[in-house]
Amino acid sequence: MRRRRKAVVLAVIRRMLISAICVMTLLGFLFVHIYVAPLNRLPRLHLNHHNNHRGDIIINHNKSISEQSLTKNLSRLESIETPLISKPKQNEIQYQSLTSEHVKKSELVPPHISTSSKLNLTSKITDFDKLWKPPPNRNFLPCVNPNHNYTSPMESRGYLLVHTNGGLNQMRAGICDMVAIARIINATLVVPELDKRSFWQDTSKFSDVFDEDHFINALSKDIRVIKKLPKGIDGLTKVVKHFKSYSGLSYYQNEIASMWDEYKVIRAAKSDSRLANNNLPPDIQKLRCRACYEALRFSTKIKAMGKLLVDRMRSYGLYIALHLRFEKDMLAFSGCNHGLSASEAAELRKIRKNTAYWKVKDIDGRVQRLKGYCPLTPKEVGILLTALGYSSNTPIYIAAGEIYGGVSRLATLGSRFSMLMSKEKLATKEELKPFMNHSTQMAALDYIVSVESDVFIPSYSGNMARAVEGHRRYLGHRKTLSPDRKSIVRLIDKIERGAEKDNRKVYERIIEIHKTRQGSPRRRKGPVSGTKGLERHRSEESFYENPLPDCLCQRDRSKTR
């Protein structure tokens, strides 16, 4: 009898325990459903409960935000093509979403990278806006169509041959200037020859980098463009001419155009900075913009690879494109050697001495740096990004060639930010093989990923930084943060001397310094006061760095170009 009672009691207890477990399981399921499901509905961001290949935590659970905030603020890039591939939308700037449904999921995740992705979510919507939201564009939209009295190309008086010089972006600007010059002097432009003799020794032809047929057709109402000189033209008189830097309309209409009386082929020995930034007729300025942002598209293979890189970066979430200009050629040219070893500094001095077309040989790197003339080091960039508030798992695309000093030089930046990506990490060797040993084509891939980024930050204001900033302004003033290098290095030096502490107070000062340096609409800056002659022109902000007011107009959204 006692055994039976004991068995009954045990059965009751067992049922109570089972019921309790069921209730707890149900509550747990409901809890997960309510708080995790909204994150699970984010496309292409796969939560991985195992450690990823870097050993980082994938989600910071202290940084949860509401489904409504996510829906509102992570809704950018709705399966649109990069503006470098198709004509840009003019009337709106959006956050780029984390979806791109037309790209196969298997293509998004680089074959040699773990499939675990990271979420760079912020705890408050105000923090999110501060880090990622573009500045108000104030309804500034592209306005590049010519005036009503603009005529078709006049009868050509001769042929203009162009030998471009410099890297990708220096050549891009030069080509667009030559388009405008051809219009001014009534010339037929022969498709420009790319620089094959500079530091990079790239053998790429125009058609390897740009869409040649589109370039010719897009400019057909402005100038005549041909792929090569016609047969039998060799007998015509030719001349090689060094056009004066930053020249205006009268120089080309008078001095250069008068050469047609004697010559039928003029070869421009150089293309960079041959046209003034300002004080040119509105139709000439608009033509420069049409050439740069509409006619000069990248070749099909570069567009396709660039888009693939963008989509793979998007699979990690919103991302920063960091133009880390810490390459051997830049450091040798500028004389900047902060943080380098004695042997590295000596190597750079030797390169500078032996490069004939670099005129300045003796440079004090310390003075250059304190004036803000040196690119930020990877360490200095890391401090800047930390100060601005970006989390350690923010995806960062390194838009650069080979960093001087290799992987070890990036260690200080990598210690702060674990998601450092590059084209070499995002793509396989096989995918990059067609572009290898062609620095211009590799730079074009970086250009595409940089223009399409959520935030663009250059460590130095060189040709690429200026070109990307100008393109992003043209596309609606996408967020572009221009570091105040002079202020940053002085603050960092104080920290290293112990005069300042690496704390929130210093970070707040850095934030304050950069509040007005985020790519908001403004007119192009004129020359520095007190400068004269060529130096006055050089002190101006580049036309391609900021096409406002010439190519951007403030108008109602309902109006079209």
Side-chain angles (χ1 to χ4, degrees), residues 84-87 209-211 214 294-299:
L84 303 172
I85 299 172
S86 61
K87 203 168 184 179
V209 181
F210 303 108
D211 186 332
H214 176 78
E294 298 182 3
L296 204 57
R297 291 182 184 173
F298 289 123
S299 64

Side-chain angles (χ1 to χ4, degrees), residues 233-514:
I233 210 75
D234 294 338
L236 297 180
T237 53
K238 303 176 185 178
V239 65
V240 176
K241 179 69 175 177
H242 286 262
F243 296 163
K244 291 181 181 179
S245 299
Y246 302 106
S247 295
L249 193 68
S250 61
Y251 169 78
Y252 288 104
Q253 285 180 330
N254 300 324
E255 184 171 336
I256 301 302
S258 65
M259 295 175 70
W260 293 132
D261 297 334
E262 187 174 356
Y263 305 100
K264 293 305 175 185
V265 180
I266 299 175
R267 183 181 184 89
K270 284 189 173 183
S271 63
D272 65 315
S273 306
R274 302 297 116 176
L275 198 57
N277 291 308
N278 303 301
N279 302 317
L280 291 171
D283 277 337
I284 293 298
Q285 298 290 59
K286 291 176 186 296
L287 174 56
R288 294 169 90 178
C289 284
R290 290 200 300 278
C292 188
Y293 305 124
E294 298 182 3
L296 204 57
R297 291 182 184 173
F298 289 123
S299 64
T300 301
K301 69 173 185 177
I302 288 176
K303 285 188 298 184
M305 189 67 223
K307 189 174 187 307
L308 187 61
L309 293 175
V310 170
D311 286 327
R312 286 178 176 174
M313 279 305 298
R314 285 261 169 262
S315 71
Y316 290 94
L318 303 179
Y319 73 92
I320 294 171
L322 172 63
H323 182 42
L324 191 59
R325 197 67 168 97
F326 209 77
E327 299 134 321
K328 182 183 288 187
D329 66 298
M330 180 67 241
L331 298 174
F333 173 78
S334 63
C336 299
N337 53 21
H338 181 75
L340 303 182
S341 67
S343 61
E344 288 174 328
E347 180 187 19
L348 296 178
R349 283 195 299 272
K350 184 177 180 181
I351 293 173
R352 187 165 66 253
K353 181 180 178 181
N354 294 336
T355 305
Y357 49 87
W358 290 351
K359 303 302 181 184
V360 182
K361 304 298 181 181
D362 297 320
I363 302 175
D364 188 329
R366 182 177 176 278
V367 173
Q368 288 282 95
R369 180 172 174 272
L370 291 176
K371 287 182 177 180
Y373 296 162
C374 287
L376 296 177
T377 67
K379 178 181 178 180
E380 290 163 348
V381 170
I383 293 173
L384 169 64
L385 294 177
T386 300
L388 293 173
Y390 290 99
S391 63
S392 62
N393 62 351
T394 299
I396 299 175
Y397 179 86
I398 304 294
E402 184 178 353
I403 300 300
Y404 190 54
V407 177
S408 61
R409 188 75 69 197
L410 291 172
T412 51
L413 178 59
S415 67
R416 290 175 179 267
F417 296 92
S418 58
M419 285 287 288
L420 298 182
M421 309 302 289
S422 64
K423 49 189 175 293
E424 292 80 7
K425 286 186 178 181
L426 291 169
T428 64
K429 289 183 179 180
E430 191 64 28
E431 288 173 323
L432 285 178
K433 187 176 180 179
F435 312 98
M436 299 298 291
N437 302 318
H438 296 289
S439 60
T440 302
Q441 297 181 47
M442 294 289 270
L445 298 177
D446 283 341
Y447 185 94
I448 292 173
V449 182
S450 296
V451 169
E452 288 301 302
S453 64
D454 300 285
V455 179
F456 175 65
I457 303 177
S459 67
Y460 182 74
S461 56
N463 291 313
M464 174 157 171
R466 290 194 290 267
V468 171
E469 178 175 352
H471 204 152
R472 290 170 68 86
R473 286 181 179 277
Y474 182 80
L475 294 173
H477 293 88
R478 297 177 176 180
K479 186 163 186 172
T480 301
L481 196 144
S482 303
D484 184 337
R485 297 187 300 278
K486 183 177 179 180
S487 297
I488 289 171
V489 300
R490 289 173 183 268
L491 274 174
I492 291 174
D493 286 350
K494 286 182 179 180
I495 292 172
E496 292 182 346
R497 291 196 307 266
E500 289 276 5
K501 292 183 178 180
D502 185 2
N503 56 20
R504 190 70 241 167
K505 184 179 178 181
V506 172
Y507 291 175
E508 287 173 355
R509 289 172 64 183
I510 291 176
I511 291 171
E512 188 64 30
I513 289 169
H514 293 91

Side-chain angles (χ1 to χ4, degrees), residues 9-151:
V9 171
L10 289 174
V12 172
I13 293 173
R14 187 182 296 113
R15 288 174 182 168
M16 291 175 65
L17 287 173
I18 292 172
S19 299
I21 290 171
C22 291
V23 171
M24 292 172 67
T25 302
L26 180 60
L27 289 174
F29 173 80
L30 291 174
F31 179 82
V32 171
H33 177 75
I34 292 170
Y35 291 97
V36 178
L39 291 178
N40 286 343
R41 285 199 294 269
L42 279 175
R44 288 171 39 208
L45 294 180
H46 316 296
L47 306 185
N48 191 329
H49 297 289
H50 303 287
N51 289 338
N52 73 339
H53 66 295
R54 298 174 186 271
D56 300 316
I57 298 175
I58 293 177
I59 297 179
N60 181 349
H61 291 286
N62 293 325
K63 292 186 176 181
S64 61
I65 62 178
S66 69
E67 180 180 6
Q68 183 179 0
S69 298
L70 283 168
T71 303
K72 180 180 178 182
N73 294 287
L74 300 179
S75 58
R76 215 177 153 195
L77 193 65
E78 297 174 351
S79 300
I80 61 171
E81 287 194 40
T82 166
L84 303 172
I85 299 172
S86 61
K87 203 168 184 179
K89 291 184 178 181
Q90 357 172 11
N91 295 331
E92 59 185 11
I93 279 298
Q94 305 171 347
Y95 285 118
Q96 297 189 355
S97 74
L98 304 180
T99 62
S100 187
E101 299 298 333
H102 61 293
V103 180
K104 293 180 181 179
K105 184 177 176 182
S106 60
E107 291 181 329
L108 295 179
V109 181
H112 56 294
I113 294 180
S114 168
T115 56
S116 62
S117 301
K118 300 192 175 188
L119 294 176
N120 51 312
L121 305 180
T122 53
S123 58
K124 296 179 181 178
I125 191 63
T126 53
D127 294 335
F128 183 96
D129 286 352
K130 194 184 302 179
L131 296 174
W132 300 105
K133 187 178 181 181
N137 67 4
R138 291 165 32 210
N139 291 356
F140 276 101
L141 306 171
C143 51
V144 297
N145 282 348
N147 293 319
H148 61 87
N149 58 351
Y150 190 79
T151 61

